[in-house]
Every structure is written in C-alpha cells, then in structure tokens.
Amino acid sequence: MIYLELYWEFFKIGLFAVGGGLATLPFLYALSATTGWFTPAQLADMIAVSESTPGAIGINMATFAGFTTAGVFGGVVATLGLITPSLFIIVFIARGLEAFRENTLVQRGFLGLRPAAVGLIAAAGLGIMQLALVRPGAESWTQFLYLPQTGVFVVLFWAIRKFSIHPVVFILIGAVAGVVLGF
Amino acid sequence: MTKTLFNLLWTFTKIGSVSFGGGYAMLPLLERELIDKRSWVTKEQILDYYAIGQSTPGIIAVNVSTFIGWQRAGWVGALAATLGFVLPSLVIITILAGVLTWSGDVPTVQHALAGVRVAVAALVLSTVIKFYTGAVKNKRGLGIFALTLGLSFFLGLSPFLLVLGGGFFGLILFSGPAGEEGKK
C-alpha cells in the first residue's frame, strides 16, 4: 500500500537525515531514483517552493514529495513519517540531556557525520546543476552547457553570496529569466 | 491540561506559519513567542535544545518544538507542539503543490520552472559552501567529505550507508578527547 510505503520511507529519512535545511535532499534524490515516485526535475521545483514558503524546508519538501506521490493524504503521511523518529529520539534524550551532549563517542561520531552529510548535499547539488545547466547527450565540449542558463546561474550565484536577502527573490529572478530567455 | 495542550498547538502553529526556513531562522520567533510573551522557557534552555536538535537526526525545528512541548507537558505536549509546527506547512504546500501540478503543462510555467531550477542550483551550491566551512575543519573531515561526495555522485551509493560510514569513520579517526582532536 502506497501510504504505508511513503510513511516508512520518510520515517527512515527522519532517522538518518542530520543537520539543517537541505539535509533530506540527498535522501529524496535517492528515493526518486529507486521508486520513480517523482523526478529530479520535480525535486528541484520542490526545493524552490519549500524555500519560498513558511515552515522548515525538510517538512515542506516531505509534504510536497508525498503529495506528488499520492495526493493530499500522501503529503500528510510523508510528513508524519518524517517527524516520528524525532519525537521518539528527542523525548528519549530529554531524560538525559547533559549525558548525551557530553558523551565523547557521540561527539566523535558527529565529527565524521557532519562532513559526510555536507558531502551528500553537495552530490545532490551537483545533480541539480547537471539538470539545470548541462545539455543531455551533448556531442562535444562546446555544446556541453546551456549557455544562457549558465550565465544566469553564475550571476545568481554571485548575487546570493554577495547579498543576504531572502531566497524567494532569487527564485523569482530565475523564473522571470526562464520566461524571458525561453529556457 | 487540555488548555496547556491547545496553547502549545496554537503557539507552534503560529510559529510554523511565519518562520521561513526553519533552523536558526526560527530562533528570534521562538524568543519572542516563548520567552518574551509566555516565559515558558529561558534563553539558555532554547540554546541547549538547539545544540541537541542539531546533534540528533531529524529536522532541527521539529526537534526543538518537540523539546519545548515535552518540557511543558510531557509526551502529549511534544506531540501537540510538533503537530502545531507542521500544520501550516501541510496546508500551504498542499495548495501550492496542487496549483503547480495543475498548471504544469502550461508552456510559460514550464519556462519559469526551468529558470527556477537554475536559481535552485545556485542556492544549493551556496548552501553547501556555507555548511562546508562549519562542518569540515581538518584534513580528516575533508577526506570524509570528498569520499562521501564521490561515492554518492559517481557511484550513487545509498545515503543511508554513507551517513553510517561517516559516523563510523568519525569514531575511528577522531580518537582521543573529541573536542581537542576535532579542532586540529
């Protein structure tokens, strides 16, 4: 049954995704590859909507992915699956707050876990760059990149690093560029 | 009790509907709603919850909501706060996802979304750079980062496996007093 599958897949993600913001992205990327519930292109749209609306990005993406897979109830089930491990883990840890924080094994494990988590997001990010900028099946290096897209990408990346304004601004600029330049 | 639970649910619904991005972006809101207006928790408690929320699996904002709910009213409190926090996302995202699915075939929408993807690629890259400086502090960390990136992107290894691998290598490579070793 699709709802049970959705709940279980997002339960696993809630158990393994560490860190903020886009921590669930690599898992959703893998999920799209193994199940075909949504495409990498849809995943990029989910990021855009999730970063432009209120609420935690991970929660928004879970609702969106669940909705795309199995409608309104799918969105609810995926979101509940994602938060279930948090409820158990946090309530369990709340009993021994200090002991957990000062446990050297936990600290050491996280020294390795954090770089791995960033590596995973970087890999998913490369996948999205490929999707947005690289011409599929290009026959020569000169055709490798969509040039207008790449130009907009470079300008936006520079602007994001330079100005700390809300991501929705850059997403809207991207949308306008896409319509005007006919991406 | 019922009143406490309803209060938790409603307060976190409000927080969930006005906080963009979750994580630390939510901190000023929590301070205003929970410390200034209601004195439910202290600033130290919130910062403690954040420290734990980051070092445990799951969405940071959800972890922090769970903590505060638990501290106010135990198990059901944790549930009320967390459900309150995700409720606005469920409503807003379901509506937007519906609109996007429904209008996905319109050519203008397709061009706009292709442009949005370019912006998303730039946003994700800048997020990675920001996280990288916080998470990779030495050569061993760089090794774990590069290995995970390569195995994920080129070989498509499961992220579950790679997270476990990262934790495992952390335990082996960062032996000795964790705090000091990590800084080298």
Side-chain angles (χ1 to χ4, degrees):
Chain A
M1 193 180 133
I2 189 69
Y3 297 121
L4 274 180
E5 281 177 60
L6 261 176
Y7 184 86
W8 173 237
E9 290 299 334
F10 279 88
F11 181 92
K12 283 195 292 183
I13 295 175
L15 201 55
F16 276 81
V18 184
L22 293 169
T24 64
L25 174 63
F27 294 92
L28 295 178
Y29 221 87
L31 192 61
S32 96
T34 53
T35 63
W37 284 343
F38 39 86
T39 64
Q42 284 175 312
L43 199 51
D45 303 342
M46 292 177 200
I47 299 174
V49 171
S50 301
E51 295 213 3
S52 316
T53 47
I57 294 169
I59 295 296
N60 292 350
M61 294 201 27
T63 307
F64 204 138
F67 179 91
T68 308
T69 308
V72 175
F73 193 56
V76 175
V77 168
T79 306
L80 291 181
L82 186 70
I83 63 176
T84 309
S86 286
L87 279 171
F88 283 100
I89 293 169
I90 293 298
V91 167
F92 180 69
I93 287 172
R95 297 161 192 270
L97 195 79
E98 287 309 308
F100 179 82
R101 268 181 67 184
E102 280 157 23
N103 186 314
T104 50
L105 280 183
V106 172
Q107 288 179 349
R108 270 193 241 155
F110 267 91
L111 285 177
L113 244 161
R114 287 202 192 94
V118 181
L120 282 175
I121 301 173
L126 283 182
I128 292 172
M129 283 169 66
Q130 201 178 21
L131 180 84
L133 310 177
V134 175
R135 193 188 306 273
E139 282 174 11
S140 72
W141 277 99
T142 46
Q143 291 185 332
F144 184 64
L145 291 173
Y146 291 118
L147 287 181
Q149 276 88 330
T150 307
V152 173
F153 171 83
V154 171
V155 172
L156 279 177
F157 179 70
W158 170 82
I160 291 164
R161 303 279 296 161
K162 173 107 181 150
F163 309 105
S164 53
I165 38 181
H166 196 273
V168 73
V169 176
F170 303 111
I171 289 169
L172 286 177
I173 294 173
V176 171
V179 173
V180 173
L181 301 174
F183 288 177
Chain B
M1 187 68 179
T2 321
K3 197 165 170 249
T4 313
L5 290 181
F6 182 77
N7 251 330
L8 271 170
L9 187 80
W10 176 237
T11 305
F12 277 90
T13 303
K14 273 207 297 195
I15 293 171
S17 59
V18 285
S19 75
F20 276 84
Y24 275 102
M26 200 174 75
L27 188 58
L29 263 167
L30 288 179
E31 284 183 25
R32 200 177 67 214
E33 291 292 328
L34 305 179
I35 303 176
D36 301 345
K37 283 198 194 166
R38 296 183 176 76
S39 319
W40 282 357
V41 284
T42 63
K43 172 118 191 184
E44 285 69 34
Q45 275 176 311
I46 290 196
L47 290 178
D48 269 357
Y49 296 160
Y50 262 99
I52 308 277
Q54 277 183 309
S55 321
T56 44
I59 311 298
I60 296 174
V62 169
N63 292 350
V64 173
S65 309
T66 307
F67 248 129
I68 294 166
W70 160 264
Q71 183 256 344
R72 294 288 301 163
W75 257 105
V76 274
L79 197 63
T82 306
L83 287 182
F85 180 74
V86 302
L87 210 57
S89 289
L90 281 175
V91 176
I92 296 168
I93 296 294
T94 300
I95 293 171
L96 283 175
V99 170
L100 266 186
T101 311
W102 169 72
S103 65
D105 293 335
V106 180
T108 310
V109 174
Q110 286 179 346
H111 289 306
L113 286 179
V116 164
R117 272 164 221 153
V118 173
V120 167
L123 283 168
V124 173
L125 184 63
S126 81
T127 304
V128 168
I129 292 171
K130 210 163 55 187
F131 279 3
Y132 178 91
T133 46
V136 181
K137 307 230 184 229
N138 48 43
K139 280 190 182 146
R140 285 168 285 185
L142 175 64
I144 294 175
F145 166 82
L147 196 64
T148 314
L149 170 58
L151 289 175
S152 175
F153 186 71
F154 293 108
L155 298 184
L157 283 195
S158 149
F160 297 101
L161 196 72
L162 292 170
V163 163
L164 287 179
F168 179 71
F169 276 108
L171 282 182
I172 295 178
L173 292 177
F174 299 101
S175 52
E180 293 161 38
E181 280 290 312
K183 280 171 198 148
K184 270 179 201 159

